Amino acid sequence: MRLKWTGIRPDWQCGSFANIINGAGMKHSPGLCGYRHIRSSVRQHFPAGFCRKPGAMKNEISARIYRGAARGLTDNGRFRSYNTFPFGSYKDADKPPFGPLYLLNDETLAPEQQLRLQPEERTLLLLLPVTGAVDYRDTAGHDALLAAGEAGLFTLDGGSSYRVRNPYDAALVHYLQLWIAWPAGAEDMNETIAFDLTKQKNQLVEIRHSAGADHRLALHIGRFDRRQEGTVDVGDGNRLFVFVVQGDFKVADRLLDPGDGLALTQLERAGFEAMSDDAILLLATIGPVGPGLSCTP
């Protein structure tokens, strides 16, 4: 994986990102919760595959917590990146990738700055703005302007590259990006998917699902009020990774703070509960080909 900085302002002053945030004229751009700071929160929708009533889980499950406070950090004054999995110079043998999910970065980009990345293998990229918008372009000629409330999914061949740019001249942008190793036989994607977590509150909203002979993936996001509960039916042989975008949750009886990730295997169901208002949860169900997420009353 290669990382390259291409700042549009050559005279940008580097320093701690806190200094940039507090700089004159700097502001946060609108996001999933308007102009609120990212630690305010969100709510949930239960489509097919999700039930309101919590259910029993297998007694013997495998769980690994990736604490947000212990993530890798890159901060060069133009860009700040928190890394759940090893990335760039950040190495940690105790935080391995979760199967095909091998990158989860929580990033903030300064005004008029851009970042270029190059996966080394065929990869599905999920690009998810949290506040503001990002301008995406890859070497295959795909481009998109993605705003909070939209998700971009792009298939990248090994060795191809893409860039993410902050289009604002005086506002920070905050976004998530996930890399998922994508088999050669899996469908190509170049999609922008819109959702509204304000109208679809207290539900899990499907971003995308894909299944084939050699892969299975389901992506969901939800905004929840405090004490809202639900159960995810993961399915036999599948794995679940959850990431707390903001707020606090209890998932599979484990308390999670903002920026925390939880990897769960050897389970068929996982219960969750929002522990704060406006709490946002991102879920990726990964596994072998099989039926869609099912609802157990």
Side-chain angles (χ1 to χ4, degrees):
M1 176 275 300
R2 299 178 183 175
L3 180 151
K4 180 181 179 182
W5 283 106
T6 52
I8 295 174
R9 287 186 178 176
D11 59 345
W12 187 265
Q13 295 292 321
C14 293
S16 72
F17 213 86
N19 293 335
I20 290 180
I21 292 174
N22 296 325
M26 193 68 65
K27 62 180 181 292
H28 284 280
S29 46
L32 295 179
C33 294
Y35 281 86
R36 303 179 192 176
H37 185 273
I38 189 58
R39 281 181 181 264
S40 64
S41 310
V42 189
R43 305 167 184 146
Q44 156 183 303
H45 148 197
F46 296 86
F50 297 89
C51 307
R52 265 187 107 72
K53 187 184 295 183
M57 294 176 290
K58 284 186 174 181
N59 293 327
E60 299 296 332
I61 67 173
S62 175
R64 181 191 296 269
I65 296 178
Y66 295 75
R67 289 297 181 193
R71 290 176 292 181
L73 173 63
T74 299
D75 184 349
N76 68 2
R78 298 167 294 173
F79 167 78
R80 182 177 62 197
S81 177
Y82 289 103
N83 317 129
T84 297
F85 306 118
F87 173 76
S89 61
Y90 171 56
K91 311 293 182 185
D92 190 335
D94 292 330
K95 298 178 182 176
F98 185 57
L101 175 60
Y102 70 104
L103 182 145
L104 198 170
N105 286 358
D106 183 349
E107 300 179 339
T108 305
L109 194 57
E112 297 186 332
Q113 297 298 302
Q114 62 186 26
L115 174 69
R116 185 171 294 277
L117 295 168
Q118 181 177 327
E120 295 180 352
E121 61 182 292
R122 180 174 162 86
T123 294
L124 178 66
L125 164 67
L126 169 64
L127 192 58
L128 185 69
V130 178
T131 60
V134 294
D135 181 17
Y136 169 87
R137 180 173 296 173
D138 62 36
T139 50
H142 303 131
D143 58 67
L145 182 64
L146 302 168
E150 295 178 323
L153 284 162
F154 308 97
T155 303
L156 299 159
D157 290 327
S160 62
S161 65
Y162 68 95
R163 70 110 168 99
V164 179
R165 184 177 70 89
N166 179 348
Y168 303 113
D169 60 5
L172 302 170
V173 294
H174 175 201
Y175 58 94
L176 303 175
Q177 56 174 328
L178 284 71
W179 288 3
I180 301 164
W182 206 234
E187 62 181 310
D188 288 337
M189 297 190 197
N190 174 32
E191 304 175 9
T192 297
I193 298 155
F195 52 87
D196 190 332
L197 295 182
T198 300
K199 292 182 179 179
Q200 296 174 293
K201 58 185 178 181
N202 292 321
Q203 314 175 45
L204 280 170
V205 179
E206 181 180 284
I207 298 174
R208 187 65 154 84
H209 72 272
S210 178
D214 53 3
H215 76 285
R216 183 181 184 283
L217 174 69
L219 299 167
H220 293 80
I221 190 169
R223 174 181 177 179
F224 302 85
D225 284 324
R226 179 182 173 88
R227 298 303 182 188
Q228 289 292 316
E229 299 179 348
T231 299
V232 181
D233 285 350
V234 180
D236 188 30
N238 296 324
R239 296 166 284 184
L240 177 67
F241 192 91
V242 301
F243 179 78
V244 180
V245 180
Q246 70 182 36
D248 303 288
F249 281 90
K250 180 187 286 187
V251 181
D253 295 322
R254 291 156 176 86
L255 293 174
L256 302 177
D257 297 322
D260 285 356
L262 176 63
L264 296 167
T265 59
Q266 301 177 33
L267 81 165
E268 294 181 354
R269 319 179 80 196
F272 61 90
E273 178 182 0
M275 307 304 291
S276 61
D277 284 324
D278 283 336
I280 302 176
L281 195 64
L282 177 67
L283 302 94
T285 304
I286 304 168
V289 64
L293 298 174
S294 60
C295 183
T296 302

